[in-house]
Amino acid sequence: MNYLASYTLLLIAVLFVFAKLKQQVQSPEKLILGAWAEKAWQYEKVNKPNELHRKHNPDTIAQSVKDQLGKHLIIHSAETWHFLANGKLVLRGADTVKEVSWKVKGRGHILELEYANHIIEHYNITELTPTRLVLNFDSDIQVKGIAKLTFDNLDRVTQIQQ
Amino acid sequence: MLRKYSNSRTLADNIRLGTLTSFTAGMINVASFIIFMSFSSNVTGYFAIFAAEIVKGNYYQVLVVASWIFLFFFGSFFANLIVIHVSSRSRYWAHAMPLLLEIFCLASVGVYGQYYYQETLMETEYLLSVMLFAMGLQNGLTASISNFSVKTTHLTGATTDMGILLSMFTKKEFRDNTELRNKAKLILSIITSYLTGAIVAGCTYQYIQFKLFFVVCFILFIVLVYDLYTLKVLKCMVVLRKRREVVSREKLITENT
């Protein structure tokens, strides 16, 4: 039975190394904390070749279409997202403030938002750096395709600018 | 199911083992996807994700995915290690120990998830790690004892084999080959069972949540005790037969005297 014990120790040692290495890298759960300002909504897919320009322009979705697109989404009409450490997300719009719960799932690549009435939405975290957050969500209404939401971290961007 | 090894196994042994374990793997995979948004019974996709995350420079995700792949690998390694080292003492226990370990891992996930899970990323990563290790154990065990003919946690190989077999069955000489037909039966039963498990988990998760893992443990427990039960029944039958023979012999002797 000595070999079983030695290989179990090997497993523990390797897992310990992984855990130590992970401590050196910031978790997406920590990185996402803070205030993020909505920068752009973009199409990632287009239905026709003559709509290709939409893919490359930074904010090609008009407010009316955003409203249509986000009609069934929690994030609808939010301009600033404030992720709090207690698992709450404050969505501030021009004249609205909403509070939802947030969780990061999978390997840190899924953002789950839960509304008070238990409606749940999932977003893919495509990019998460100290200054930039990119989320993707699927939509089959009107715009047909994947929309990309880009954010700038308000605190860190201001720090850099200063 | 667990007593026999490699070439001494019959088609029925492999089908029983394959259907029960693939049913549980299907349940586990769907449950992990619903709860944690990640798969837990296959690692092919994780190799691709691993490479993609390296390219993107997401080193946190690289480490998470690397540890998951390692745990699946280590589960398989550990299962076969037990099989080859313990079988000289007891073949049944050599095959039962990895399954016992798997039941322990999945039951731990069930208990933790049901009573303590706060849905943090760290918990998600650790619970998925335990599940990937458990699935590695299961895949390693079933492949090891069935001479690599039963692999139950993913269907890539099974789907490929099924495609090849069905194309072979377009010729009569292959259709008449019993070995090929048996192989097709085994693969079909594994695919059907995996799919059924996945559908059952998808339909029942919202009602029983993490208790689903206890159902999986119960099914694995059946695999574990099936051989013990059949051995006991066989022993009883042998004892009864011997008694009958003794009684009939005694009767003959008394009649003759």
Side-chain angles (χ1 to χ4, degrees), chain A residues 24-41:
Chain A
Q24 309 298 315
V25 198
Q26 207 169 15
S27 149
E29 237 176 11
K30 299 261 161 38
L31 209 53
I32 206 167
L33 293 176
W36 297 86
E38 196 182 281
K39 194 180 162 194
W41 286 45

Side-chain angles (χ1 to χ4, degrees), chain B residues 51-98:
Chain B
E53 297 291 13
I54 288 176
V55 172
K56 283 191 213 163
N58 295 337
Y59 297 112
Y60 185 88
Q61 277 88 342
V62 168
L63 287 166
V64 170
V65 172
S67 62
W68 287 349
I69 293 171
F70 171 76
L71 279 160
F72 190 87
F73 152 80
F74 199 85
S76 185
F77 169 85
F78 206 65
N80 198 51
L81 188 82
I82 295 170
V83 168
I84 58 174
H85 283 89
V86 182
S87 56
S88 54
R89 292 177 204 178
S90 160
R91 184 165 287 171
Y92 174 76
W93 282 108
H95 299 168
M97 274 167 71

Side-chain angles (χ1 to χ4, degrees), chain A residues 94-143:
Chain A
D95 41 32
T96 55
V97 178
K98 282 179 194 169
E99 195 180 84
V100 298
S101 298
W102 69 274
K103 279 158 203 144
V104 177
K105 295 221 164 177
R107 56 181 188 278
H109 72 298
I110 302 281
L111 174 67
E112 185 183 280
L113 302 184
E114 189 179 353
Y115 216 30
N117 55 4
H118 301 295
I119 290 174
I120 292 174
E121 289 168 8
H122 291 113
Y123 299 85
N124 275 313
I125 302 173
T126 314
E127 191 185 332
L128 179 58
T129 66
T131 52
R132 201 169 127 93
L133 166 66
V134 179
L135 300 177
N136 279 83
F137 69 90
D138 272 309
S139 172
D140 56 355
I141 47 164
Q142 294 262 349
V143 283

Side-chain angles (χ1 to χ4, degrees), chain A residues 12-135:
Chain A
I12 293 164
V14 173
L15 292 179
F16 182 75
V17 171
F18 272 119
K20 277 280 161 199
L21 285 171
K22 258 174 68 188
Q23 280 178 0
Q24 309 298 315
V25 198
Q26 207 169 15
S27 149
E29 237 176 11
K30 299 261 161 38
L31 209 53
I32 206 167
L33 293 176
W36 297 86
E38 196 182 281
K39 194 180 162 194
W41 286 45
Q42 277 171 281
Y43 286 100
E44 288 236 302
K45 280 182 190 168
V46 287
N47 294 329
K48 294 168 193 166
N50 59 7
E51 289 175 340
L52 267 173
H53 67 278
R54 285 177 157 179
K55 278 180 78 171
H56 309 295
N57 293 336
D59 197 359
T60 52
I61 305 180
Q63 188 56 48
S64 58
V65 184
K66 271 190 200 177
D67 291 346
Q68 188 64 31
L69 184 67
K71 202 161 65 179
H72 306 290
L73 297 169
I74 291 170
I75 57 158
H76 169 56
S77 73
E79 285 167 8
T80 317
W81 297 30
H82 200 141
F83 288 90
L84 304 173
N86 63 359
K88 294 288 171 197
L89 166 64
V90 181
L91 299 164
R92 271 180 223 284
D95 41 32
T96 55
V97 178
K98 282 179 194 169
E99 195 180 84
V100 298
S101 298
W102 69 274
K103 279 158 203 144
V104 177
K105 295 221 164 177
R107 56 181 188 278
H109 72 298
I110 302 281
L111 174 67
E112 185 183 280
L113 302 184
E114 189 179 353
Y115 216 30
N117 55 4
H118 301 295
I119 290 174
I120 292 174
E121 289 168 8
H122 291 113
Y123 299 85
N124 275 313
I125 302 173
T126 314
E127 191 185 332
L128 179 58
T129 66
T131 52
R132 201 169 127 93
L133 166 66
V134 179
L135 300 177

